[in-house]
Amino acid sequence: MYPEDLRYTREHEWARLEDGRVRVGITQFAAERLSDVVFVELPAPGSTITHLETFGVVESVKAVSDLYAPVSGKVVEVNPALTERPELVNQDPYGAGWMLLVEPTDPAEFAGLLSAEAYRALIGQETG
Amino acid sequence: MAEGDFPLLIERSAPGRVGAAVPASDVPDVPLEDILPAAVLRRAGPPLPEVSEPDLVRHYTQLSQRNYGVDVGFYPLGSCTMKYNPKINEDAARLEGFARLHPYAPDAQAQGALRLLHDLERMLAEVAGMDAVTFQPAAGAHGELTALLMIRAYFAERREARTHVVVPDSAHGTNPASAAMCGYKVLHVPSDARGNIDVDALRRVADERVAALMLTNPNTLGLFEERITEVEEIVHGIGAQLYLDGANFNAVLGITRPGDQGFDVMHMNLHKTFSTPHGGGGPGAGPVAVKAHLAPYLPVPVVVREGDAFRWDYDRPRSIGKIRSFYGNFGVLVRAYTYLRTFGPLLRQVAEAAVLNANYLLALLRDTFDLPFDRRCMHEFVLAGTRQKREYGVSTRDMAKRLLDYGYHAPTIYFPLIVDEALMIEPTETESRETIEEFARALLAVAEECRTDPDLVRAAPHRTVVSRLDEVSAARRLDLRWPQADPPG
Amino acid sequence: MTRQTAPQVTTAWTPHKYLPLTPDDRAHMLRRLGVAAVEDLFADIPQSVRLLRELNLPSVPSDADLLRELRELSRQNGDADRLTCFLGAGAYDHFIPSVVWHLAGRAEFYTAYTPYQAEIMQGELQAAYEYQSMLCALTGMEVANASMYDGASATAEAAVMARDLTRRDQVLLSTALHPEYRQVVRTYTRHLDLEIAEVAHRGGVTAVETVRAALSEHTAAVIVQHPTFFGGLEDIAQLAQAAHAAGALLVVAVADPVAYGLLRPPGALGADIVAGEGQPLGNPLNFGGPYLGMLATRQAFVRRMPGRLVGRTVDTRGRRGFVLTLQTREQHIRRERATSNICTNEALNALAAGVYMAALGRVGLRQVAEVCVRKAHYARSRLEAIPGFRVAFPGATFHEFVLRCPRPPEEINARLAAAGVLGGLALGRFYPELRDGWLLCVTENRTRVEIDRLADLLGEMA
């Protein structure tokens, strides 16, 4: 399930524009491939992230995956619930499993991300 | 602790119990405060359990009965070479003159140990086709790191800036991890349709920024690298070093020698090929054997012979230094020495029997499981549980867990990463034909159960002291020690 | 060693006690494979690399002869049974209760592999969890791993861990840290963009002001040893404060953790990482190995800690069980991004250390440490009274101390060996300014008679 109102990266992150800020998480495809998430390592609020560079790590029992920033900017908020309940990433990847809220520095970056249709095509390629 | 839980030591503990006698002090009684300042002393003893000796013995004896060693049963873990651990090796290692020897004993007081190390070096160099051996690495991965550090030193002296190490995609995880620890970037090369390293792909990445190719041969698919001579030419053609991960050395002892294949350096796993016990995870030993051009970089000290005497030589200005304290896992080396003395030139029978056993077991299983690379295998082979996954929804993990119910340790699963639902099986040479056939029957029975009763397999194991354990919650809510009531000290 | 140059590639089969296959078995198996000879199974190996001769190895003795040879080799060593051992310096002759190796030597433990199939390896896994717990109790730290190779490499890994945690590129090493530990730290970090700087000891311990002066915003960690290589006592609390004030971590190395049976442990004093050698806990001297690397740290740092970790969990029926956990940090999954390359560790030595700690227990381990202190103190006072010998460093020591000698310590050692005594470490090999320095160790295993005899022998040499 890949909501139309989100945009996506090739590395399976999603981004949602909310009043000029960008909320970030990982897609259902990524969450399913990882299977049960046990830990999420995120940057501290106030730190800077850079478009397409890693900003953290998501860990399951069988893998550790890097997280790639959909946009550059300053981290305004980090989801506090994920410390106690990393499983939210699997249960509700686009809602309660969100990871970061970012104050973006370059609006062109968000526009340059994949649409839902393009993302579906991408993962169709990966699974097909 | 809940009903049915096996007690922890701390749950068997009661104040006032002692499990060992402590010698009384026979020197004049001086108040402790006159010797040490009160501020450095603990207020009370460390919060360790207090158990009597009989309870301690029961605890660990019962724990041992909840454990599976190769002395208990067949252990077909691919890539681990779980062969029989000979008992004469244990007797040798326990000799007081070895076990109670201090590492800083002066050379004159360590002649027996030094001679043993010298002779072991000669024997391993002969088997490997190499010129010199260091025993300092405590494990295979430690040996990999040592070898890469030596390679780096070699190129530094030649003022060649080589920044990359090439690794096949089938490589064991320690290979790229060791390269990274040495400051190298890793280039991956895929395997071809026959399971060999893709020589064309290797040629494409082979240039002067490459310091080394790390190869396992036979590789992690259990297959001999057929194009090894071409690989050697490519690697040496660009002036790089050819490294052998010797984890699978058991297949070729006395048949072919890595030095003769063109390898410049290799590590060996004494706890695999040379019968020393795995100890539940260690200790092992990962000696590194080198050709003469790399010998100056060996860790310090090395054993030298002068007439009929032996000594440690610390005068090694080009050495990479030390990668652990003292000289290595000497107790493990004594066991390997004894093993080699027990075989001598008959060592090649080990390889012959290992390869024969593996091929025979493969023949018994190949019709029931997918076989990603249909070639003559060496000492191990890789099957895939993809058929069972596709047709019955049962994973290789499930089948492995069900094998536990049949009284076996499961083979290696999900390695190498290039095979989906991989099942890697290595019987070793110390198994009888009957054991091989019984195991085949058990694995075939599990495959049949995938068809007739997949739920049973998916919920396995059923007959072990605990059923399938929840690894997810272990990682989510970390509990890595029993609760401690007292403050630290 | 006899050398044969037979040109054939397959030899006849000689029965061997470790090889169950009979000629009948082989014949049957080859028939099943449709192959004429075992040699055909090696067809993938190019002829050009085939070994066309027998291995040049000594011919096989009988078991009795082999043991005779090995016994003879072992008798050529001045081990701690034949010579009275006053040598420490990173390997310690403590008494090992008989239970330790009767239990650790059980075949179900020592012939087992790494416990990846947890359901049939609850024995090793629980023993490792208990060891981790007891190590935390001993060091005062919150979490400990299931073993590294030895104290030196554990210290090196701690340095790398500190770099990763602080993202800084310098480590300060006290020269009161074991010289071989320092060497190994340098080797491990040579290519990791980590600067190693040394802080000179004063009087056998690390002066806090010296450390403060050396700390900067580049410092990832300060590494000291407590008790020091010279047996002295560091001011861990002050060192921790100084390091933390500069945003650095304090790593405390320990070569004889028996000391923490009596001394306040680093965890109680602000240490961030403890790296140590577990050989003194129930493991024989073994000419330097196998030993036992220990690593313990704060809960918050656990994901950066290399090595295996055992965690508690439940099975499908809610029963308590143990598994390897956080494996995704390790090499077999994370590969080049792993916290370390370590795979095989020193699990059996950790199990033995667990038995040792449990056997001595809360009261016994403190007593052993206390007896060590008393005996060392007695030896120190007897020896410094001998003309020509004086204690090198003024401070209090645990069970090792340095004497300055009237003649070269190497010479003293040679004469002592002839009298059946293994003398202390001549320090000139590591510390040029201590050419007359002699590092002696007295554990609970030394008797008063032995100490008095040492004093008598030295008195004759003065």
Side-chain angles (χ1 to χ4, degrees), chain C residues 286-299:
Chain C
N286 263 326
F287 201 45
Y291 282 359
L292 171 58
M294 309 183 324
L295 201 59
T297 190
R298 300 180 181 279
Q299 183 70 26

Side-chain angles (χ1 to χ4, degrees), chain B residues 339-368:
Chain B
Y339 180 75
L340 275 162
R341 294 301 313 279
T342 314
F343 270 103
L346 294 176
L347 202 60
R348 64 167 292 127
Q349 292 187 171
V350 166
E352 289 179 2
V355 170
L356 181 55
N357 269 352
N359 277 282
Y360 184 61
L361 184 52
L362 173 58
L364 299 177
L365 297 171
R366 55 179 298 148
D367 294 331
T368 308

Side-chain angles (χ1 to χ4, degrees), chain C residues 60-81:
Chain C
V60 182
S62 67
D63 276 7
D65 283 341
L66 182 54
L67 282 170
R68 229 169 263 134
E69 267 189 54
L70 287 158
R71 254 182 242 121
E72 181 48 41
L73 274 179
S74 77
R75 274 189 221 112
Q76 289 168 28
N77 300 322
D79 62 89
D81 232 39

Side-chain angles (χ1 to χ4, degrees), chain B residues 40-61:
Chain B
V40 305
L41 300 176
R42 274 188 186 267
R43 289 180 268 278
L48 294 171
E50 293 172 81
V51 289
S52 69
E53 182 171 326
D55 285 331
L56 191 62
V57 170
R58 281 243 175 91
H59 180 80
Y60 279 94
T61 301

